[in-house]
Amino acid sequence: LSEYATRAGFHVSRKMAARGLFSSVRFMSRTAAAPSLLKKRLQELIPIRQAEVKEFRAKHDDYTVGSYTLSQVYGGMRGIKGLVCETSVLDSEEGIRYRGYTLPDVQKLLPKAPGGEEPLPEATFWLLLTGEIPTAEQAASVSKEWASRASIPKHVVDLIAAFPETVHPMSQFTSALCALQSESKFAKQYAAGMNKNLYWDYTFEDSMDLLAKLPTIAALIYRNTFKDGVVAAIDPSKDWSSNFANMLGFTDPMFTELMRLYLTIHADHEGGNVSAHTVHLVGSALADPYLSFAAGMCGLAGPLHGLANQEVLLWLTNLRAKVGDNITEEQLKDYIWQTLKGGQVVPGYGHAVLRKTDPRYVCQREFALKHLPNDPMFQLVSKLYHVVPPVLLAHGKAKNPWPNVDAHSGTLLQYYGLKEASYYTVLFGVSRAIGVLASLTWDRVFGLPLERPKSMSTSGLKAYIEQDIAFKANPSTNKPPVNEE
């Protein structure tokens, strides 16, 4: 019964299996019979973009793009221009642009669900992959195709069901992704012998399959870890976010709208952040999209990256427990200073690149002002928005004292009933797949090589700089520095 149920699209949860019950997720065929609207458009764009990049590189391959300092070498390579990312660009003052469009542009221009106000993540994927604003019909075609590819193999279901509830949701998520790699079309074709010109094709197919399956995997983890294990069936007439919200167990239309917004604004943040760079790096070794994305999610699980949204909510919860809801600005300042003097950071504030309030924070703030203006947690977040930056500036160590995306997301999720903070990074991961898999597809289109930057030791850097100083002081008697490492 279990084997048949899984093959037919039924998912056996740990809790439900113990009671001899099963939760159903409707089975769909895994691949479309003919190229989809999205793939057809991509096939039209690829030769144009390949020719553009080929001509550009032929003229300027020897051009010096920039220089960097010792501080950047020791400082996480921040500001070093060393990657190509077509899907989005992050400006320190303006924030993220998806293919040239700001987030307000994206909210305004991308297709919405019937009766909805927030953009569809499927439309975001179309935009990031093609550079074009899709029509409602094109966005709907992606929704239907993802629904058709959403079935999960039995061994992945069994793996998730076997995890004890003490395993962190992100650990479950990355493990399930690695197990799902058995479905990789890219890996199978590569093992059989594949022409390099087809790398992008099977990367795209894997990406579409993976994006289709992620909500079901994420919902299984949530329902098994925190609820009764029942996962609702996929409805092919609904959009990606609507099915995801329903599988999680949330039927409030406003939670679905929040999911559409959340999954759109977390989708991409150019190529240098930990998760995006990791997917690119691992993918450059020709690892398939499943393994590349799983590696990126291990990076997202770090507290300086995606886990920060969990850290923010825990910090806010502790703040409310100690001070209460009727907190004054002076009490807030005292608490923030205690945090800083204790050698801790104020989570949700500051960013490695941004030097202004994160536009993703602003999108969420505007959603809250419209739908939950009187929520106590939102009011606390609003007070912090005015109090934290001056304190951080006075502290003198923050280059950017302004709130980032993590400062707000947990508040919205809590309001609509998703209170399990340890799960929030999984939601982030489902969203981030949209951007990094679109980018990985273009890595394959352009045939980007194995990434292998040069590293140096401290002694090597010292010798190099000493030689350079001596050469510049007296070039007639000293040789230019040579990196012997």
Side-chain angles (χ1 to χ4, degrees):
L1 177 59
S2 175
E3 182 179 356
Y4 168 79
T6 305
R7 188 169 64 248
F10 292 88
H11 295 298
V12 184
S13 72
R14 177 176 62 248
K15 294 177 180 177
M16 298 303 286
R19 293 158 50 189
L21 300 172
F22 305 98
S23 55
S24 65
V25 176
R26 185 174 301 172
F27 172 79
M28 311 288 176
S29 62
R30 293 187 181 179
T31 55
S36 63
L37 291 178
L38 178 55
K39 190 169 186 178
K40 286 180 180 178
R41 185 59 186 138
L42 192 57
Q43 288 170 330
E44 294 167 351
L45 292 170
I46 282 174
I48 299 172
R49 295 289 287 118
Q50 285 176 326
E52 177 189 354
V53 171
K54 183 179 181 180
E55 180 183 2
F56 176 60
R57 292 193 60 183
K59 290 181 178 179
H60 302 294
D61 247 8
D62 294 328
Y63 191 86
T64 300
V65 175
S67 59
Y68 53 93
T69 65
L70 184 67
S71 174
Q72 289 172 294
V73 173
Y74 278 98
M77 299 191 291
R78 293 185 180 185
I80 294 177
K81 298 177 178 65
L83 294 169
V84 174
C85 178
E86 303 292 347
T87 53
S88 64
V89 175
L90 180 61
D91 182 87
S92 62
E93 297 297 327
E94 186 180 55
I96 195 66
R97 280 182 177 266
Y98 288 177
R99 291 285 191 165
Y101 295 96
T102 65
L103 287 184
D105 292 336
V106 167
Q107 286 184 286
K108 179 181 178 181
L109 296 173
L110 288 186
K112 319 292 191 293
E117 297 180 351
E118 300 298 340
L120 290 169
E122 300 92 313
T124 304
F125 184 66
W126 186 293
L127 169 63
L128 293 176
L129 197 61
T130 69
E132 300 170 345
I133 299 292
T135 64
E137 177 189 6
Q138 289 170 331
S141 73
V142 178
S143 300
K144 291 179 180 178
E145 185 169 4
W146 284 355
S148 76
R149 295 172 178 245
S151 61
I152 307 297
K154 178 181 182 299
H155 69 273
V156 177
V157 178
D158 291 344
L159 176 68
I160 296 171
F163 281 124
E165 296 169 8
T166 53
V167 177
H168 194 282
M170 278 301 287
S171 297
Q172 296 187 46
F173 191 50
T174 54
S175 299
L177 291 170
C178 288
L180 192 62
Q181 190 264 352
S182 62
E183 308 306 292
S184 172
K185 296 181 175 70
F186 182 93
K188 290 181 176 68
Q189 291 297 319
Y190 189 87
M194 175 170 46
N195 189 300
K196 291 182 178 180
N197 293 331
L198 294 177
Y199 284 178
W200 78 265
D201 192 328
Y202 288 98
T203 297
F204 171 81
E205 290 297 331
D206 273 3
S207 297
M208 292 291 281
D209 284 342
L210 187 49
L211 282 161
K213 299 175 192 304
L214 285 178
T216 306
I217 289 175
L220 280 167
I221 292 169
Y222 179 74
R223 300 299 301 182
N224 276 328
T225 305
F226 303 110
K227 303 297 180 181
D228 60 3
V230 176
V231 178
I234 290 175
D235 184 344
S237 69
K238 292 183 177 180
D239 62 89
W240 195 59
S241 303
S242 181
N243 271 314
F244 187 23
N246 194 44
M247 286 191 290
L248 288 171
F250 295 89
T251 57
D252 185 340
M254 290 316 304
F255 180 83
T256 302
E257 274 289 273
L258 173 60
M259 281 293 96
R260 293 177 183 128
L261 174 65
Y262 183 101
L263 296 170
T264 292
I265 66 175
H266 286 79
D268 210 29
H269 223 225
E270 74 166 33
N273 67 77
V274 170
S275 55
H277 187 194
T278 303
V279 173
H280 165 77
L281 172 63
V282 175
S284 78
L286 288 186
D288 60 72
Y290 291 87
L291 295 180
S292 301
F293 182 64
M297 291 303 94
C298 289
L300 190 72
L304 294 183
H305 193 17
L307 200 70
N309 54 17
Q310 174 183 326
E311 299 289 308
V312 168
L313 192 61
L314 294 174
W315 188 82
L316 290 173
T317 301
N318 290 334
L319 170 59
R320 290 182 71 189
K322 290 182 179 180
V323 187
D325 287 331
N326 297 319
I327 188 171
T328 65
E329 288 195 2
E330 286 302 315
Q331 288 175 309
L332 273 179
K333 289 179 182 178
D334 290 341
Y335 190 86
I336 295 163
W337 275 113
Q338 289 175 18
T339 299
L340 296 172
K341 290 177 180 178
Q344 298 173 300
V345 300
V346 179
Y349 281 78
H351 192 273
V353 178
L354 282 170
R355 295 296 175 261
K356 61 172 285 186
T357 298
D358 192 333
R360 299 171 298 174
Y361 175 95
V362 176
C363 289
Q364 293 179 106
R365 176 173 171 78
E366 290 175 350
F367 186 96
L369 285 169
K370 185 174 183 179
H371 300 293
L372 47 136
N374 299 318
D375 176 61
M377 186 71 86
F378 169 60
Q379 292 180 341
L380 174 58
V381 168
S382 294
K383 287 181 181 178
L384 288 167
Y385 177 67
H386 298 290
V387 173
V388 172
V391 173
L392 292 179
L393 286 172
H395 189 242
K397 294 185 178 181
K399 293 182 179 180
N400 170 24
W402 310 109
N404 59 50
V405 65
D406 299 311
H408 216 306
S409 55
T411 300
L412 298 176
L413 294 167
Q414 283 268 311
Y415 178 80
Y416 288 104
L418 206 164
K419 299 180 181 295
E420 298 81 8
S422 63
Y423 183 76
Y424 292 173
T425 312
V426 176
L427 294 177
F428 195 160
V430 172
S431 172
R432 183 51 56 93
I434 295 171
V436 299
L437 292 175
S439 189
L440 185 62
T441 301
W442 281 101
D443 290 349
R444 299 281 200 259
V445 168
F446 294 134
L448 299 187
L450 177 71
E451 184 176 303
R452 179 58 169 87
K454 183 73 180 73
S455 62
M456 295 180 69
S457 66
T458 296
S459 60
L461 285 166
K462 284 181 177 180
Y464 181 88
I465 290 174
E466 288 171 0
Q467 292 172 20
D468 189 52
I469 291 172
F471 174 72
K472 289 177 179 176
N474 195 345
S476 60
T477 59
N478 293 301
K479 295 180 179 181
V482 177
N483 179 9
E484 296 182 351
E485 291 190 343

